[in-house]
Amino acid sequence: MGNIVQINGPIVTVRLQGVHNGEQVRVGRLGLVGEVISLDGNQAQVQVYESTESLSPGESAQALGHPLSVELGPGLLGQIFDGVQRPLKAIRLQSGDQIARGLELPALDREQVWQFEPASALDIGTHVGGGTIIGTVQETETVVHRILVPPAQSGELLEHAPAGDYTVDQVIARIRNSIGHVHKLKLFHRWPVRRPRPYRARDHAAVPLMTGQRILDTFFPLLKGGTGAVPGPFGAGKTIVQQQIARWANADIVLYVGCGERGNELVEVLESFPKLTDPHSGRSLMERTLLVANTSNMPVVAREASIYVGVTIAEYYRDQGYDVVMVADSTSRWAEALREVAGRLGQMPVEEGYPAYLASRLSAFYERAGSVQTLAGNRGSVSLIGAVSPPGGDFSEPVTSHTKEMVRTFWALTKELADARHYPAVGWNDSFSGYVETAAKWWAEHVDPAWAQRRAEALALLAEADELARIVNLVGPEALSPAQRWVLEGAGLLKEAVLQQSALDKVDSYASPRKQFILLDLALKIYHEGKDILELEVPVDHIAQLPLLAKMRRIKSVYSSDQTEELRKLDQEIHETFDRIRIEYAGVKEQTA
Amino acid sequence: MKEKEYRMATAARGALLFMQGIPGVPLGDRVVVRDHRGRKRNGQVILTSDETVLVQVFEGTDDLDLERTWVRFLEEPFTLPLSPDMLGRVFNGVGQPKDGRPPIISALKRNVNGAPVNPSARSYPREFIQTGISTIDGLNSLVRGQKLPIFSGSGLPHNRLAAQIVRQAKLLGEAANFVVVFAAMGVSHTDARFFEEDFESSGVLGNVVMFINLADDPPMERLILPRTALTAAEYLAFDLDRHVLAVVTDMTHYAEALREVATAKGDVPARKGYPGYLYSDLAEIYERAGRIHDRHGSITMVPVLSMPSDDITHPIPDLTGYITEGQIVLSRELHNQGAYPPVTVPPSLSRLMKDGIGKDDTREDHPRVASQLYASYARALEARNLASIIGAEELSERDRLYLAFADAFEKRFVTQGEQEDRSIVETLDLAWELLSLLPPETLGRVTEADLKKYHNWEVVSAERANWYGRTSEDSADEEHPADPQAAGRVS
């Protein structure tokens, strides 16, 4: 037992003997919990996860003997947790609409009964290593929860519970380790959040993560096990992009970490996901989703922890052999929490007040993504996608620039596109993906061999149009040749018919890889055909005003991903339209000749 | 300890008073400081340890004499007594009456800092509020429980706009049922009087609670004023089931006061001298807006802030924009052209609009019309930009149409009277009237059915042809007139 010496916002200095760095400490009459972040003689500085108001010097402090850990077991999915994995729905039942301080609730419901099915291949007496699957529980209709031997444990299986109903607290196996200690295994185990969970080996990510968003999948793809960032000024649509990924990604498990963002955004996920169906499994989206919520008005220290709580849960499902996507909105708020704590500790600021270890913490976080061979020998992956909120939309600020160095896919949102309500406002100039070549193999095999070529054509067209637009702004459109003006029109068509995608439109919200490819292919076909007939001296305006183009712009929200046949029918209309014009103008030419 | 007065101040710096050797003072406690003339000041403990206690004095430490300063710790946080009698009253930042009437007496007192709302207790805001202002209702709709700030600049009519919203805000099909919590920080006497008179003349004064800190009142009081005001708002909304419209002006003064204290404390500055926790601090205020499951009331917040040098990337508007659910941006350029309200549409946004509009809430075409107006206006501004370089005469036919559209949009849609209360249907019809200035094939955000129902291109272009005295042959460049029928045909 020790006592409190000083309280400075969320940082409490305690006099406490023998406490470890990183250990959990309970302080004061209210029993607020925090974590030791520095030691100095017999004093320790503790960052407290809840508001320290009304705490006074002299109150007690008690070391809890373990670092910040999460409970991992069935019952996580469909839940909403706070930044230190307290179940928010249960908290509401206990303390009402506002979160009271000092509440202690287990993350997993101790009452709920799960139907456990032991792994049949395991005989008594066999040696089980960490990560071995000792049985399964049907967690939701779509997700089978594989019960793992905790990674740090192994030994001879002494007892294996028969199939039946168990709560998470009941013992389902006993193992004796190499020095003769017997451990009880339950449906859940604990794991410290700041330590990455072990795996057997990393492998090369090779399968694209499909999000159903054209600008992401087709232009700047991400792989399962990859890292991505979505930076953008406020109002550019970061949250919608993140939510769209959480909705439509072809992952088994989705973690949505609301880190220092708006309460209403999480409510939107909570209210809308149960009603939405997963296009891949046909079941409610909430069955594969879980939320970690530390909204902007919740205590700042728990915000710092929330990212680690999220990624540890993600790794746990990876270890069961699943593809997991974690979206973190927003890593800038996490970095700010880091800055606030560093500032209170009087650490030397380097850039914009951020501590010197910002970059290393960020990179350590993104390194927890990856496609791996699990301890049990399965394949699993964690893809990490972090939103970044650069102050003033300035991408050169520390969090954005460090993130940019770390991630392989960068979806840069721009204010110009957002102001014109071009959504998703992912700019094609500043965005990049280091996974294009790998993704191209997948697209060639599963969708169309021409994918890489079409993608390159489209990007080249957009770049050329941007260049020409600069010229127009200097000297006016008269300076452009008809071919150049058609480039502008073609790029415009590409933007409206392919790049823009409405999250609110039921049909357009999700596009399958095939639909994505067909739309791109059709738009480029119109561009090429138009370019071709310009030689017959058809006026650009004439082509630009063809009803065919208007139809192309709207077709994305007319036919869904299941109606690719109908989409393909536009091919013929394109040919007919341009052939008609060819005949018409060829005639004119002959007459004048 | 409550009764005891301490005289152990060792230093006074700006708004901070350093005390030494007082044991066990809780963080955040309320403090009364008595000076040598017997005047009382309010303060709060912002850092506490065995040795030093740091007190933030809202009235500042001017004129304090360390030897003759007595400090009493009240052993309670800042609380506000709450009662329905607050309506129609005027208070200062710590909740003391400012209208010469007796203080509120009530057994119900709450900590002004509140506690964070459990995200799982929130209910998603989706009820459309009609403000009668086209740029808001049509393009950046406000919904009940939203926080939608007005980003303004010095000298722009943000106060008039805020007052107009207060006067006109109502739910469709319901009588006005808002009560108003008005929190003013660092406003001039003139502005305060403007609001008071406006509330009075529109007859809402009995439904308003005002918390006022004038420009010449102690600046540190601004740090606690929005918290006090929102505690009152939460009481009205979630205890008394009222729908509260909280107008908080001017958040820039609040943030400046925060910076002043942070600098005096020696906090590490992040941007422009503002402390790194400005975001979290602002969020504690803004996030108190919202709706809660099973509660009938709501808090809709309209904070007003002036952007220093009209710079939207300044930390105050920037961080605000990251927390609030959109923003209404006022422009000096439009204001100088005589437009009222000078709402500049491209950077304005309402994030919660999508769920509050459409078939069951406003009108079926609303989401698409809004999107189309945004897109067309953005395109029109490009045309205007081009015209300023090469001259309007050099523009293409299409660009000239856009130019006319931009002018009409600003003069007729954006501009409206200060007393003009447009219904949402009027706003949408007006939008279609303007979109009819553009040919249908440029309108990619609306459906064929919308075009058929609302778009009048043929009529408008025929009128224009007559207007310019053109014959039908002159307009033969439209050899292939856009035919919505043809475009709608599905092969």
Side-chain angles (χ1 to χ4, degrees):
Chain A
M1 271 307 222
N3 58 11
I4 298 176
V5 178
Q6 192 198 58
I7 303 140
N8 178 11
I11 306 299
V12 174
T13 309
V14 297
R15 199 175 289 118
L16 196 59
Q17 288 290 350
V19 68
H20 295 245
N21 223 345
E23 190 172 344
Q24 299 282 97
V25 173
R26 182 172 288 137
V27 295
R29 279 183 298 249
L30 284 168
L32 309 179
V33 176
E35 171 178 4
V36 177
I37 46 174
S38 74
L39 294 169
D40 183 11
N42 64 351
Q43 294 199 347
Q45 290 184 305
V46 179
Q47 54 173 358
V48 178
Y49 303 129
E50 296 178 81
S51 164
T52 53
E53 195 185 272
S54 80
L55 214 59
S56 52
E59 285 186 49
S60 67
Q62 183 195 353
L64 298 179
H66 59 81
L68 176 61
S69 315
V70 285
E71 292 189 351
L72 302 168
L76 291 169
L77 293 178
Q79 278 295 334
I80 174 168
F81 297 106
D82 79 351
V84 288
Q85 211 206 11
R86 295 185 307 173
L88 285 168
K89 286 179 190 165
I91 285 183
R92 185 175 173 225
L93 292 178
Q94 191 162 338
S95 85
D97 298 334
Q98 290 169 329
I99 302 174
R101 291 187 292 162
L103 287 176
E104 215 182 332
L105 285 168
L108 296 173
D109 189 345
R110 293 294 189 266
E111 310 288 316
Q112 188 163 358
V113 175
W114 299 96
Q115 207 180 4
F116 174 70
E117 192 64 48
S120 54
L122 290 177
D123 294 323
I124 300 297
T126 46
H127 180 88
V128 290
T132 306
I133 298 165
I134 52 168
T136 57
V137 155
Q138 192 74 39
E139 186 172 4
T140 65
E141 291 282 341
T142 43
V143 178
V144 174
H145 195 108
R146 297 174 184 133
I147 309 298
L148 307 176
V149 175
Q153 291 180 10
S154 64
E156 181 193 348
L157 187 64
L158 299 178
E159 211 182 308
H160 200 195
D165 290 346
Y166 300 87
T167 64
V168 290
D169 240 353
Q170 281 174 304
V171 176
I172 45 123
R174 276 173 217 275
I175 55 171
R176 182 167 54 210
N177 67 11
S178 54
I179 53 165
H181 287 284
V182 175
H183 287 286
K184 296 173 189 167
L185 303 187
K186 299 174 177 180
L187 287 181
F188 83 103
H189 64 267
R190 303 183 66 90
W191 189 262
V193 299
R194 296 186 198 275
R195 194 186 312 156
R197 286 174 64 90
Y199 45 82
R200 195 175 288 171
R202 265 179 195 258
D203 54 28
H204 290 293
V207 181
L209 180 80
M210 285 298 158
T211 65
Q213 311 304 303
R214 292 183 288 268
I215 182 76
L216 309 188
D217 298 350
T218 300
F219 289 89
F220 304 103
L222 179 67
L223 300 185
K224 286 183 175 174
T227 50
V230 191
F234 66 84
K238 276 186 303 300
T239 301
I240 303 254
V241 169
Q242 297 266 60
Q243 287 189 357
Q244 285 293 90
I245 294 170
R247 265 180 209 168
W248 307 125
N250 61 345
D252 303 309
I253 306 289
V254 173
L255 257 104
Y256 193 94
V257 180
C259 170
E261 287 290 311
R262 305 174 184 90
N264 281 333
E265 285 170 3
L266 291 153
V267 178
E268 194 187 358
V269 174
L270 274 180
E271 288 188 7
S272 67
F273 274 34
K275 292 177 212 149
L276 291 167
T277 23
D278 176 357
H280 313 287
S281 73
R283 299 283 310 178
S284 160
L285 273 181
M286 209 59 204
E287 290 184 7
R288 63 161 203 186
T289 309
L290 80 96
L291 290 98
V292 176
N294 189 272
T295 57
S296 55
N297 56 336
M298 285 159 80
V300 68
V301 174
R303 189 195 299 169
E304 195 267 336
S306 65
I307 290 270
Y308 296 103
V309 165
V311 76
T312 307
I313 298 173
E315 286 174 344
Y316 173 63
Y317 279 97
R318 173 202 70 190
D319 291 347
Q320 296 175 39
Y322 289 120
D323 289 321
V324 186
V325 171
M326 169 170 148
V327 296
D329 189 11
S330 133
T331 55
S332 294
R333 305 301 164 220
W334 167 79
E336 280 171 12
L338 212 61
R339 173 169 72 184
E340 181 167 347
V341 170
R344 302 254 185 199
L345 294 177
Q347 289 168 343
M348 179 69 80
V350 286
E351 300 162 279
E352 300 206 1
Y354 288 106
Y357 47 79
L358 171 70
S360 58
R361 292 275 172 96
L362 262 176
S363 54
F365 164 68
Y366 279 111
E367 272 307 296
R368 290 178 77 166
S371 172
V372 305
Q373 192 182 11
T374 65
L375 293 177
N378 297 320
R379 278 186 196 281
S381 70
V382 171
S383 315
L384 288 181
I385 300 166
V388 186
S389 320
D394 170 16
F395 283 10
S396 67
E397 61 91 38
V399 182
T400 318
S401 56
H402 290 310
T403 303
K404 198 170 179 178
E405 282 166 31
M406 281 311 305
V407 299
R408 299 276 312 271
T409 295
F410 193 72
W411 294 313
L413 303 183
T414 73
K415 192 165 168 46
E416 290 71 33
L417 292 176
D419 280 355
R421 295 306 187 261
H422 173 119
Y423 290 128
V426 178
W428 40 91
N429 290 325
D430 297 330
S431 301
F432 61 80
S433 165
Y435 301 119
V436 176
E437 281 173 26
T438 317
K441 284 182 201 140
W442 184 91
W443 280 86
E445 200 174 313
H446 294 87
V447 183
D448 199 295
W451 179 80
Q453 196 197 337
R454 292 284 180 281
R455 176 183 176 276
E457 273 174 38
L459 284 174
L461 178 61
L462 290 167
E464 193 182 352
D466 284 347
E467 187 58 40
L468 291 173
R470 268 191 288 277
I471 297 176
V472 171
N473 274 337
L474 287 176
V475 292
E478 298 306 314
L480 298 187
S481 68
Q484 287 174 320
R485 285 181 55 210
W486 179 242
V487 168
L488 287 179
E489 293 288 345
L493 181 70
L494 199 61
K495 287 177 203 167
E496 285 189 57
V498 183
L499 301 188
Q500 292 178 14
Q501 187 169 359
S502 168
L504 310 177
D505 186 293
K506 276 205 179 62
V507 177
D508 197 27
S509 184
Y510 169 81
S512 67
R514 180 149 305 275
K515 180 177 172 183
Q516 299 190 20
F517 178 79
I518 295 175
L519 286 176
L520 177 66
D521 194 44
L522 291 172
L524 286 172
K525 203 163 271 174
I526 292 179
Y527 169 70
H528 289 307
E529 289 276 10
K531 194 173 164 187
D532 200 37
I533 60 167
L534 280 178
E535 284 167 18
L536 299 171
E537 286 165 29
V538 184
V540 173
D541 284 344
H542 179 173
I543 316 176
Q545 286 168 17
L546 286 173
L548 176 72
L549 270 71
K551 186 171 178 183
M552 181 67 219
R553 288 191 184 97
R554 292 199 188 94
I555 201 163
K556 60 186 178 185
S557 33
V558 178
Y559 299 115
S560 72
S561 297
D562 305 328
Q563 296 168 297
T564 47
E565 301 278 302
E566 277 86 348
L567 282 169
R568 265 295 171 207
K569 281 182 189 156
L570 199 70
D571 252 340
Q572 201 181 346
E573 205 173 318
I574 295 172
H575 287 300
E576 282 168 8
T577 308
F578 284 99
D579 283 348
R580 205 167 56 234
I581 302 173
R582 263 189 206 100
I583 292 164
E584 202 177 312
Y585 276 84
V588 173
K589 251 190 159 174
E590 270 167 32
Q591 277 172 19
T592 47
Chain B
M1 191 167 140
K2 201 170 169 177
E3 311 305 321
K4 209 167 157 188
E5 279 193 323
Y6 291 89
R7 209 191 61 174
M8 287 148 164
T10 54
R13 199 161 63 214
L16 300 179
L17 192 63
F18 295 75
M19 311 282 298
Q20 213 118 62
I22 307 164
V25 178
L27 186 75
D29 266 19
R30 187 167 179 176
V31 171
V32 174
V33 179
R34 189 164 62 86
D35 66 15
H36 58 282
R37 293 211 192 104
R39 280 186 319 195
K40 285 180 180 168
R41 308 181 193 202
N42 293 293
Q44 192 172 17
V45 176
I46 56 172
L47 182 145
T48 169
S49 71
D50 286 350
E51 286 136 30
T52 312
V53 173
L54 195 52
V55 175
Q56 168 181 310
V57 183
F58 293 127
E59 290 84 353
T61 57
D62 279 0
D63 209 23
L64 279 188
D65 167 355
L66 294 180
E67 286 297 310
R68 291 184 294 164
T69 294
W70 294 270
V71 177
R72 202 149 58 90
F73 295 90
L74 300 186
E75 288 191 336
E76 57 168 27
F78 262 97
T79 54
L80 182 71
L82 297 160
S83 119
D85 299 338
M86 300 172 91
L87 289 169
R89 299 289 307 271
V90 184
F91 304 95
N92 70 3
V94 289
Q96 294 158 338
K98 223 180 168 159
D99 50 7
R101 288 161 61 194
I104 298 286
I105 307 289
S106 170
L108 181 65
K109 287 182 180 178
R110 288 214 180 111
N111 184 338
V112 297
N113 284 331
V117 173
N118 188 329
S120 72
R122 281 184 191 271
S123 157
Y124 195 67
R126 50 177 92 241
E127 295 143 306
F128 175 78
I129 296 174
Q130 179 178 297
T131 64
I133 297 161
S134 290
T135 37
I136 297 178
D137 293 351
L139 296 175
N140 301 289
S141 315
L142 178 66
V143 297
R144 204 142 76 173
Q146 184 175 15
K147 37 193 182 294
L148 187 65
I150 299 173
F151 285 9
S152 183
S154 46
L156 297 181
H158 43 264
N159 288 339
R160 282 157 62 200
L161 179 60
Q164 189 173 3
I165 293 173
V166 168
R167 268 197 317 271
Q168 296 180 174
K170 59 175 166 289
L171 284 181
L172 287 182
E174 276 184 39
N177 55 355
F178 283 103
V179 298
V180 177
V181 169
F182 181 71
M185 292 159 281
V187 296
S188 66
H189 285 266
T190 327
D191 287 343
R193 197 174 319 119
F194 164 78
F195 276 106
E196 217 163 325
E197 284 171 3
D198 198 84
F199 293 152
E200 195 169 1
S201 65
S202 55
V204 293
L205 197 57
N207 272 332
V208 179
V209 194
M210 295 213 227
F211 293 86
I212 291 186
N213 169 281
L214 294 167
D216 53 359
D217 283 337
M220 289 309 115
E221 198 183 279
R222 291 165 203 166
L223 289 177
I224 202 150
L225 187 140
R227 293 178 165 83
T228 310
L230 288 164
T231 303
E234 281 171 349
Y235 167 73
L236 292 167
F238 303 128
D239 288 49
L240 302 186
D241 291 343
R242 304 296 296 269
H243 291 292
V244 178
L245 188 62
V247 177
V248 187
T249 178
D250 174 326
M251 286 306 288
T252 303
H253 298 307
Y254 170 82
E256 280 164 357
L258 191 73
R259 175 167 68 176
E260 198 177 322
V261 173
T263 321
K265 272 197 301 184
D267 288 339
V268 176
R271 289 178 69 218
K272 298 210 170 169
Y274 290 93
Y277 50 81
L278 179 61
Y279 175 84
S280 307
D281 193 276
L282 289 174
E284 279 175 18
I285 295 172
Y286 295 136
E287 279 285 325
R288 289 172 83 166
R291 301 219 58 180
I292 289 180
H293 280 299
D294 310 324
R295 304 275 172 159
H296 299 291
S298 64
I299 301 177
T300 309
M301 200 190 293
V302 181
V304 177
L305 60 89
S306 45
M307 298 181 279
S309 341
D310 294 346
D311 176 12
I312 198 167
T313 66
H314 185 282
I316 301 167
D318 189 54
L319 295 178
T320 297
Y322 276 121
I323 305 163
T324 54
E325 284 131 355
Q327 65 277 338
I328 303 293
V329 185
L330 304 189
S331 120
R332 196 166 299 278
E333 201 186 332
L334 284 171
H335 178 64
N336 291 344
Q337 288 164 13
Y340 173 88
V343 175
T344 176
V345 166
S348 298
L349 171 73
S350 165
R351 292 165 192 273
L352 300 184
M353 172 174 183
K354 58 187 191 311
D355 292 297
I357 61 168
K359 198 164 136 214
D360 301 322
D361 304 289
T362 53
R363 201 168 79 182
E364 199 269 328
D365 56 322
H366 190 170
R368 297 183 300 277
V369 173
S371 169
Q372 185 63 61
L373 275 181
Y374 262 106
S376 297
Y377 186 58
R379 175 76 181 73
L381 290 181
E382 275 174 32
R384 184 183 280 171
N385 196 16
L386 194 57
S388 68
I389 299 164
I390 59 167
E393 312 77 44
E394 300 294 315
L395 289 181
S396 68
E397 175 84 4
R398 178 72 60 85
D399 279 346
R400 260 176 294 178
L401 291 177
Y402 272 115
L403 214 53
F405 169 78
D407 289 341
F409 179 78
E410 285 161 11
K411 291 210 169 64
R412 296 174 54 200
F413 192 86
V414 175
T415 304
Q416 70 183 86
E418 213 170 323
Q419 300 295 332
E420 188 181 350
D421 189 356
R422 289 183 193 156
S423 76
I424 181 63
V425 174
E426 284 169 340
T427 291
L428 291 175
D429 286 346
L430 179 59
W432 276 111
E433 230 179 288
L434 299 173
L435 288 176
S436 297
L437 295 170
L438 298 171
E441 69 272 12
T442 64
L443 307 178
R445 309 278 176 105
V446 293
T447 64
E448 294 298 337
D450 293 334
L451 288 174
K452 227 173 276 177
K453 194 162 172 191
Y454 301 108
H455 197 245
N456 277 319
W457 167 249
E458 274 81 20
V459 179
V460 175
S461 51
E463 274 171 14
R464 188 179 27 245
N466 289 336
W467 183 258
Y468 290 119
R470 281 157 43 144
T471 65
S472 56
E473 271 147 21
D474 286 336
S475 58
D477 57 326
E478 287 174 87
E479 229 174 287
H480 294 266
D483 181 357
Q485 302 279 341
R489 210 162 42 219
V490 175
S491 59

